[in-house]
């Protein structure tokens, strides 16, 4: 079961990294200059936060704990929801009625898949994509870090303070 949780967690982290990179292809260097409403932004106003929340839950599963996954996912969801609400007010100031219409039809966090629409073509920022990839490595790094801690616990070099399932 532990290995299954770890592999599921790794899968969620890969979804996180891929989803964050997909999202940044759309918003990239246009943030605060243009209202982006296509691709992942057509289904949710905050796909970067959504995918980061998925990654946080994945880290909990890599730890081998459903409880840790739920706690990390809930913590990330709470923080990102508060942040998204503040950003929403900022975007409403920047884009006015255009943002109000977008916000009225597009969920803040959980995606509405039926609303997906794509652009025929998009220009992206390689710098933003690279930065997002490097940020995503934080989630990926959790796997070897937690595996290392687990190894040190199994060999007796590090005490196990508590277990969560």
């Amino acid at each position: 079961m532990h290995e299954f949780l770890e592999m599921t967690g790794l899968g969620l982290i890969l979804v996180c990294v891929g989803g964050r990179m997909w999202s940044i292809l759309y918003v990239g260097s246009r943030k605060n200059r243009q209202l982006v409403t296509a691709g992942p932004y057509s289904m949710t106003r905050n796909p970067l936060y959504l995918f980061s929340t998925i990654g946080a839950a994945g880290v909990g599963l890599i730890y081998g704990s459903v409880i840790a996954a739920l706690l990390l996912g809930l913590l990330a969801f709470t923080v990102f929801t508060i942040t998204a609400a503040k950003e929403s007010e900022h975007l409403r100031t920047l884009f006015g009625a255009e943002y109000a219409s977008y916000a009225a039809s597009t969920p803040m966090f959980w995606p509405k898949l039926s609303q997906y629409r794509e652009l025929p073509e998009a220009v992206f920022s390689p710098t933003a994509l690279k930065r997002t990839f490097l940020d995503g490595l934080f989630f990926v790094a959790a796997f070897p870090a937690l595996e290392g801690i687990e190894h040190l616990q199994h060999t007796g070099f590090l005490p196990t303070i508590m277990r969560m399932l």
Side-chain angles (χ1 to χ4, degrees), residues 18 41 91 108 118 124 130-131 148 162 165:
Y41 292 89
L91 293 171
M108 179 187 277
E118 191 64 69
F124 73 95
K130 178 183 172 187
R131 184 179 61 244
M162 67 180 182
L165 284 177

Side-chain angles (χ1 to χ4, degrees), residues 16 19-20 22-24 27 31-32 35-54 76-77 79-92 99 102-103 106-112 115:
C16 165
R20 286 180 51 80
W22 178 41
S23 300
I24 209 68
V27 75
K31 188 174 183 178
N32 294 325
L35 184 61
V36 177
T37 61
Y41 292 89
S42 65
M43 300 179 294
T44 173
R45 296 190 320 253
N46 296 284
L48 287 164
Y49 296 160
L50 171 67
F51 287 115
S52 293
T53 299
I54 291 168
F77 173 75
V79 169
F80 289 136
T81 300
I82 292 167
T83 303
K86 290 177 184 177
E87 285 182 357
S88 182
E89 291 306 314
H90 175 69
L91 293 171
R92 197 174 302 276
Y99 181 78
Y102 171 63
T106 309
M108 179 187 277
F109 202 82
W110 301 112
K112 188 173 181 182
Q115 288 188 185

Side-chain angles (χ1 to χ4, degrees), residues 115-157:
Q115 288 188 185
Y116 182 76
R117 64 182 183 76
E118 191 64 69
L119 294 174
E121 207 172 87
V123 176
F124 73 95
S125 165
T127 302
L129 186 63
K130 178 183 172 187
R131 184 179 61 244
T132 301
F133 175 73
L134 294 175
D135 289 347
L137 290 180
F138 166 78
F139 291 99
V140 175
F143 189 72
L146 290 172
E147 284 295 306
I149 290 169
E150 186 178 308
H151 175 72
L152 292 174
Q153 288 173 335
H154 285 300
T155 58
F157 287 110

